Amino acid sequence: MRVAVGQMTSTSVHATNLHIANELCERAKAAGAAMLALPECFAFIGGSEAKETVAQATALNDEPFGDFQGLARRHGLWLSCGGFHERASASKVYNSHVIVDASGSIVRAYRKCHLFDVSIPGGAVLMESKTTVPGDAVAEVVETPVGRLGLTTCYDLRFPELFTALARRGAEVILVPSAFTVPTGLAHWHLLLRARAVETQCYVAAAAQVGTHNAKRRSFGHALAVDPWGDVLADAGGEASPAIVCFDVDRDKLATLRARMPIQKHRRQDVLELALFDRGDDEETAAARDY
């Protein structure tokens, strides 16, 4: 059960992004993959104007998303379309991670729930909430030919409880399509992806944007595949575009690891839920929690 993990440099030109995605599909098919994972914003990355992102957004049953469904049909591949601007209203979008089967049908759509609102001193100022409505359905797990997929998107990576929920619902491979900034990528990309794999005892596949998209935006790259022990199986590096890396899902390896170290059975869910959701904190504890 082979998965191809894509890396690309999206721009504001839909046709160019589609052409690159088609090339990634060709490479994935030639490598014997049953599924290709595309990164966040695979169809569009605009400039600094938030209204540009909103203006080009469409429903999932319209173009340009239909073009990517066509790629799945043409190549006979399942696609993880890692972050599509789905129209939510006249002024907002959803950042939707959509799973498409090899016939081109939409199987599941997860709307990113953690939005990246960050101002880096001397660096990027990215306020995703200016354009995006957060989703409220989480722990989406999908049966596919490459195993049970858990769906996340980019900034979700920093919230381990979401990954734990996916593992408890049976995920075997967790997808983390991303467009990480260079400073945060250098500091935390490999560290967090390996940690999430170890904690959940899942494969983690992180398709990535890479390089310069426009005058104000660059992405870290390093599309990654990590095994359930935390070992990096493949890394596309910080320059190659377009590129894929591939890995094989070994269910026997998963089962053996989980049997030898049954983390989910050991988890004190009763205690952890009290710690996570207690609202009877004193003022000092509440301030620390909500920093």
Side-chain angles (χ1 to χ4, degrees):
M1 299 185 293
R2 179 161 292 179
V3 180
V5 186
Q7 180 161 289
M8 63 190 291
T9 309
S10 294
T11 68
S12 60
V13 182
H14 286 112
T16 301
N17 299 331
L18 179 65
H19 176 77
I20 294 170
N22 182 65
E23 182 175 341
L24 292 176
C25 286
E26 290 175 347
R27 295 188 189 187
K29 195 67 177 179
M35 174 169 232
L36 167 65
L38 295 171
E40 186 180 31
C41 303
F42 62 93
F44 180 86
I45 289 183
S48 59
E49 291 291 330
K51 62 184 180 182
E52 186 181 0
T53 298
V54 175
Q56 61 82 49
T58 65
L60 293 180
N61 58 0
D62 291 335
E63 304 302 337
F65 193 76
D67 292 328
F68 293 90
Q69 292 175 269
L71 290 184
R73 284 192 298 271
R74 186 180 317 138
H75 296 283
L77 281 170
W78 281 64
L79 294 181
S80 157
C81 297
F84 181 77
H85 299 120
E86 178 191 3
R87 183 182 294 128
S89 68
S91 61
K92 294 276 187 171
V93 304
Y94 295 111
N95 188 343
S96 298
H97 179 174
V98 189
I99 301 298
V100 177
D101 69 18
S103 71
S105 298
I106 294 174
V107 176
R108 192 72 56 85
Y110 159 69
R111 292 165 171 170
K112 184 179 181 183
C113 65
H114 296 107
L115 302 185
F116 187 61
D117 284 1
V118 173
S119 178
I120 301 170
V125 177
L126 296 171
M127 301 296 292
E128 191 173 12
S129 63
K130 283 186 177 181
T131 60
T132 306
V133 179
D136 55 12
V138 297
E140 296 280 0
V141 176
V142 185
E143 285 281 356
T144 76
V146 298
R148 291 187 293 274
L149 304 181
L151 307 186
T152 75
T153 304
C154 201
Y155 191 50
D156 286 335
L157 181 59
R158 296 184 181 274
F159 300 90
E161 58 272 26
L162 172 57
F163 286 72
T164 297
L166 291 168
R168 291 178 65 82
R169 291 194 178 186
E172 297 167 313
V173 181
I174 298 179
L175 301 176
V176 193
S178 297
F180 251 57
T181 67
V182 173
T184 55
L186 285 168
H188 298 146
W189 179 248
H190 290 76
L191 172 69
L192 289 173
L193 289 167
R194 295 182 68 193
R196 298 296 89 86
V198 171
E199 293 163 353
T200 60
Q201 297 176 309
C202 290
Y203 289 90
V204 171
Q209 293 285 349
V210 67
T212 301
H213 307 284
N214 52 55
K216 293 191 175 182
R217 185 156 180 184
R218 292 177 61 233
S219 293
F220 180 64
H222 292 274
L224 219 63
V226 185
D227 78 2
W229 191 246
D231 290 331
V232 175
L233 300 175
D235 184 337
E239 296 181 2
S241 177
I244 64 165
V245 294
C246 295
F247 71 99
D248 296 321
V249 178
D250 185 340
R251 275 179 155 160
D252 290 337
K253 181 176 182 177
L254 269 174
T256 298
L257 176 61
R258 292 174 176 184
R260 290 177 176 175
M261 192 183 296
I263 291 174
Q264 297 307 327
K265 289 182 180 179
H266 295 160
R267 187 177 301 279
R268 285 293 307 277
Q269 198 73 5
D270 56 333
V271 176
L272 290 175
E273 285 185 355
L274 289 174
L276 281 171
F277 303 113
D278 181 20
R279 290 296 177 264
D281 299 333
D282 57 35
E283 289 186 11
E284 183 178 355
T285 304
R289 184 191 69 228
D290 296 332
Y291 75 96

